[in-house]
């Protein structure tokens, strides 16, 4: 009986060793795949430079945020206060930070091109202050950036990302071209610049069309 029990014990030990080796190889395979994926993601440009960038989420009371006459002075005072901090080069606001998911969405139509009914696909609407793109070091590809002076004009100025240029202008230069929000007869805007695609969803997902609209500060 003792010999039979000893044999069963050896077989059990051998089975456990085989199981441990199989588990180790499985973990090694999973780790290898994860490392390869991480290396691939590390080579993807997010479209901005996060080095020495500090971000935070600001919650403004409704009594201030719901009224432009109180919201705009509040935001200006905050920007002025932040700009006085030693080491701060530029300050900007945005309705959504990169890699944090989408934001508001809209539909745009380019003037002078056939209206595409499929253009109702989601186009991210980025409401930003003039300092946002410089603060995030998002490369300007064509044209110029939005400035405070654009708010004093009756016209509506926007910037597009490269994906929006490909989608709505077929890759043609859209700078100084006009478009419409929501439908072919909607609010009219003029494109003043094109910026690089920013990964607003995740590094592994392609960037969709985005339009940058200036928010009063």
């Amino acid at each position: 009986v003792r010999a039979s029990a000893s044999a069963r014990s050896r077989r059990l030990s051998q089975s456990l060793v085989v199981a441990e080796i199989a588990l180790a190889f499985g973990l090694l395979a999973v780790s290898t795949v994860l490392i390869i994926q991480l290396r691939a993601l590390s080579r993807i440009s997010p479209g901005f430079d996060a080095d020495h960038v500090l971000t935070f989420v600001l919650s403004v009371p409704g009594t201030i945020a719901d009224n432009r006459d109180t919201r705009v002075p509040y935001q200006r005072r905050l920007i002025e206060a932040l700009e006085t901090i030693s080491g701060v080069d530029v300050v900007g606001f945005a309705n959504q930070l990169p890699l944090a998911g989408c934001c508001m969405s809209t539909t745009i139509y380019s003037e002078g091109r056939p209206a595409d009914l499929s253009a109702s696909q989601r186009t991210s609407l980025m409401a930003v202050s003039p300092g946002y793109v410089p603060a995030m070091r998002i490369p300007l590809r064509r044209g110029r950036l939005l400035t405070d002076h654009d708010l004093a004009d009756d016209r509506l100025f926007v910037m597009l990302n490269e994906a929006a240029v490909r989608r709505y202008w077929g890759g043609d230069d859209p700078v100084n071209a006009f478009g419409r929000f929501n439908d072919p007869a909607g609010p009219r805007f003029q494109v003043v610049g094109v910026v690089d695609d920013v990964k607003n969803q995740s590094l592994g997902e392609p960037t969709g069309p985005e339009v940058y609209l200036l928010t009063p500060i």
Side-chain angles (χ1 to χ4, degrees):
V1 175
R2 285 196 298 272
S4 177
S6 178
R8 286 197 299 270
S9 179
R10 284 196 299 272
R11 287 196 297 271
L12 179 59
S13 297
Q14 292 171 353
S15 298
L16 290 175
V17 170
V18 172
E20 289 174 355
I21 293 174
L23 179 60
F25 274 109
L27 292 175
L28 179 61
V30 172
S31 299
T32 301
V33 172
L34 290 176
I35 290 173
I36 292 174
Q37 291 179 339
L38 288 174
R39 290 185 62 183
L41 289 175
S42 67
R43 299 191 187 100
I44 298 176
S45 171
F48 64 95
D49 185 0
D51 189 32
H52 292 89
V53 172
L54 175 64
T55 65
F56 60 91
V57 177
L58 178 65
S59 296
V60 181
T63 53
I64 296 177
D66 295 340
N67 188 332
R68 175 173 175 170
D69 292 337
T70 55
R71 183 184 69 253
V72 173
Y74 176 87
Q75 292 174 322
R76 283 185 177 143
R77 289 196 302 271
L78 179 59
I79 285 182
E80 291 171 357
L82 292 173
E83 288 176 337
T84 62
I85 299 175
S86 177
V88 173
D89 295 324
V90 61
V91 179
F93 279 106
N95 63 325
Q96 185 68 47
L97 291 174
L99 302 176
C102 186
C103 46
M104 297 183 293
S105 61
T106 185
T107 303
I108 63 176
Y109 294 84
S110 55
E111 285 191 358
R113 303 177 68 90
D116 187 354
L117 297 179
S118 66
S120 59
Q121 73 174 47
R122 186 180 69 187
T123 298
S124 297
L125 178 61
M126 295 291 296
V128 301
S129 70
Y132 175 74
V133 170
M136 299 301 290
R137 301 188 190 95
I138 300 173
L140 176 67
R141 297 305 185 191
R142 278 168 279 180
R144 65 171 178 83
L145 298 177
L146 295 169
T147 69
D148 283 317
H149 298 292
D150 294 327
L151 289 173
D153 199 298
D154 292 334
R155 292 171 294 176
L156 185 60
F157 298 109
V158 304
M159 296 184 301
L160 304 174
N161 70 343
E162 294 279 13
V165 174
R166 292 189 296 269
R167 177 67 181 81
Y168 297 107
W169 271 267
D172 295 338
D173 188 357
V175 175
N176 296 323
F178 293 89
R180 302 274 182 168
F181 280 117
N182 301 325
D183 61 66
R188 194 176 193 230
F189 63 81
Q190 184 175 15
V191 180
V192 299
V194 178
V195 297
D196 202 4
D197 288 340
V198 174
K199 295 292 186 179
N200 280 332
Q201 294 291 336
S202 70
L203 288 176
E205 294 185 30
T207 303
E210 293 176 350
V211 54
Y212 291 77
L213 181 67
L214 202 60
T215 182
I217 293 295

